[in-house]
Amino acid sequence: MDRPARGRQRVDTLLAMIEAGEIAHADTRTELLGAIDGILEAGRTSGELRADVAVEDIAAALIGIFTVAGKPAHAAMAARLLNLLMDGLRLSSGGQRKMAE
């Protein structure tokens, strides 16, 4: 499976957890951040994802993506935006990317 497909699979898993009610409304923020952290940690451990990205930043990016492209009619846009997000999370070929401050 290629990297973009793995990224989409991780996001799909997270969304399925939300939809299935595994992430309850009262604990949504904590559960969501924990799920994202688990995904990021797996990517960091495998050497595929940057170590300098905050969980809260990813949550904000996902909220933004699904706010502007959350309807089925915008599925292609959502896919492009998710690909951009995943591309930004990956290590560059030369190693670690430096986040702008």
Side-chain angles (χ1 to χ4, degrees):
M1 180 182 298
D2 64 355
R3 287 182 179 169
R6 281 194 303 268
R8 284 190 297 275
Q9 184 180 32
R10 290 176 181 138
V11 170
D12 289 345
T13 299
L14 179 60
L15 293 175
M17 288 172 64
I18 294 168
E19 189 172 313
E22 292 179 35
I23 299 176
H25 292 291
D27 298 321
T28 300
R29 180 170 167 43
T30 302
E31 297 275 345
L32 182 60
L33 293 177
I36 293 169
D37 188 51
I39 292 167
L40 286 175
E41 190 56 38
R44 290 174 185 139
T45 300
S46 72
E48 294 180 47
L49 299 181
R50 298 165 48 168
D52 64 339
V53 178
V55 172
E56 294 83 1
D57 293 343
I58 301 305
L62 289 172
I63 290 167
I65 289 169
F66 295 118
T67 298
V68 299
K71 295 182 180 180
H74 300 126
M77 177 190 284
R80 289 191 307 271
L81 293 170
L82 288 169
N83 284 335
L84 284 169
L85 176 61
M86 289 305 301
D87 286 347
L89 288 173
R90 286 190 195 93
L91 289 175
S92 66
S93 59
Q96 186 75 13
R97 292 182 183 176
K98 177 75 174 159
M99 270 184 81
E101 308 245 349

